[in-house]
Amino acid sequence: MDFTVSKLTPEIGAEIRGLDLREPLDDETLAQVRQVWLDHVIVLFPEQEIDDDQQIEFSRRIGELELINMAALQMRGKPEIYRATNLNDDDTLMAEDHPIMQTNRDNQRWHTDSSFKRIPAMASALHARIVPDSGGETEFANTAAAYDALDDDTKKRIEDLVVVHNFFWSRRDAQEVAFTEEEKAAIPPVRHPLARIHPETGRRAIYAGSHAEQIEGMSWEESRDLIDRLNDHATQARFTYRHDWKVGDMVLWDNRAALHRGLAFDAAHQRRRLHRTTVAGTAPTL
Ligand code: OGA
Ligand code: MN
């Protein structure tokens, strides 16, 4: 199948046109798409009229899917679909104090999906169903390019460091009631390399973001200082792409080489609903 590729920015992002994701991709096309995705970290497929089952099928070609770890966020009957939304099931606006509104605000911090799992997510795909008139963009940062741009002393310093990622660190502002006891017990803190080697490209990438709580063998202050500094470094404008959503846009990103965050919008008046599938990783990072 023929498709065109164009870069979105010099350091991150490519747009693919000419493919209809409702139809299964043949193996050769899939391999080509996968290479574009590995090279550019995020891929935008505009104007895709896909439904949830088609999104699930497409994502499954990338790898096995994760099920969403919080019952309140799952779509009824489809645990593979996470909705990034300020809308109730009937598409009315959620109340300001709805627990999911806090989750949405937490997603406004730079993060990489499921880094709080021992085997963290490989990829995520978001498909835009309802978008606000303004705001609500999603930003992505290339953490492999950011790693390459570190000075040699910093590269050396972080080479063997282990960082503890903890879901309840990044969710420290969420109401207790948002999680059941079982859900909490199921996600203990986990260890990852801070300068993680990408299993497919072999490149190192900064593996931090908002779930990263502390670095092993370092004081709290020193840990926080280094994590914050690396997150700030990785998310400089030159490594980032801001996606302004249009209905039908599908964005596939590589969680092993990217941070992302949602941007705020007028959630009390504007409606937004994006559907996400999450492709599981294949092995622990350590
Ligand atoms: C996500 C996420 C941000 C957004 O779905 O993983 O972080 O812009 N979303 O909705
Ligand atoms: Mn996310």
Side-chain angles (χ1 to χ4, degrees):
M1 300 172 187
D2 283 341
F3 61 87
T4 61
V5 181
S6 47
K7 277 186 155 200
L8 294 169
T9 77
E11 289 279 17
I12 179 170
E15 177 180 291
I16 288 185
R17 284 190 180 267
L19 294 179
D20 181 347
L21 301 184
R22 289 176 299 192
E23 309 293 337
L25 303 181
D26 61 63
D27 290 347
E28 191 191 335
T29 305
L30 183 75
Q32 289 165 348
V33 166
R34 195 175 180 104
Q35 194 57 52
V36 172
W37 168 67
L38 289 171
D39 290 344
H40 298 278
V41 177
I42 89 148
V43 178
L44 164 65
F45 303 88
E47 295 172 19
Q48 299 293 333
E49 300 293 310
I50 55 171
D51 63 22
D52 288 320
D53 290 330
Q54 290 158 341
Q55 180 170 351
I56 289 169
E57 281 317 302
F58 168 70
S59 313
R60 278 212 178 111
R61 299 292 301 284
I62 308 293
E64 242 174 78
L65 297 192
E66 284 189 4
L67 302 186
I68 304 313
N69 75 325
M70 225 177 124
L73 295 175
Q74 282 177 14
M75 206 168 135
R76 219 154 279 160
K78 290 202 199 295
E80 300 90 350
I81 301 277
Y82 162 87
R83 285 171 303 179
T85 188
N86 65 329
L87 303 177
N88 297 303
D89 282 349
D90 62 359
D91 276 349
T92 55
L93 290 162
M94 276 176 185
E96 177 61 23
D97 61 355
H98 194 295
I100 287 176
M101 295 294 265
Q102 182 59 46
T103 299
N104 293 343
R105 287 189 287 273
D106 289 337
N107 276 338
Q108 293 173 9
R109 294 195 183 113
W110 288 103
H111 64 281
T112 169
D113 287 337
S114 298
S115 71
F116 48 81
K117 293 186 180 173
R118 199 170 79 89
I119 301 180
M122 173 197 295
S124 299
L126 270 177
H127 183 243
R129 304 299 182 89
I130 299 174
V131 302
D133 295 337
S134 66
E137 303 92 337
T138 305
E139 286 188 315
F140 300 89
N142 182 339
T143 52
Y147 174 85
D148 289 345
L150 289 171
D151 60 72
D152 288 343
D153 286 349
T154 308
K155 282 186 186 162
K156 198 160 244 135
R157 182 176 177 213
I158 70 173
E159 187 172 314
D160 295 319
L161 292 179
V162 171
V163 56
V164 175
H165 289 234
N166 180 2
F167 187 69
F168 296 101
W169 164 250
S170 56
R171 296 299 183 259
R172 58 197 176 277
D173 298 331
Q175 297 167 40
E176 285 287 300
V177 295
F179 311 100
T180 67
E181 286 306 317
E182 288 89 335
E183 283 170 347
K184 283 194 219 168
I187 24 183
V190 294
R191 308 166 70 237
H192 297 301
L194 183 55
R196 180 181 177 192
I197 296 174
H198 190 292
E200 290 182 79
T201 66
R203 288 178 78 184
R204 282 197 194 257
I206 296 168
Y207 198 62
S210 67
H211 303 306
E213 181 175 21
Q214 191 163 7
I215 294 166
E216 281 187 2
M218 264 188 198
S219 70
W220 175 256
E221 288 72 23
E222 209 186 345
S223 284
R224 289 312 319 162
D225 183 64
L226 182 55
I227 291 169
D228 292 345
R229 203 156 60 75
L230 290 171
N231 284 335
D232 288 348
H233 168 80
T235 57
Q236 295 172 79
R238 64 182 158 136
F239 303 124
T240 66
Y241 166 66
R242 176 182 294 186
H243 187 61
D244 190 2
W245 293 99
K246 292 187 188 57
V247 170
D249 285 345
M250 169 82 130
V251 171
L252 174 72
W253 69 90
D254 186 342
N255 280 302
R256 303 162 296 185
L259 290 173
H260 64 279
R261 66 171 177 183
L263 296 185
F265 65 103
D266 181 4
H269 301 97
Q270 293 274 324
R271 289 145 37 93
R272 181 180 192 263
R273 180 154 55 79
L274 309 178
H275 288 202
R276 190 186 86 196
T277 40
T278 317
V279 180
T282 50
T285 60
L286 280 171

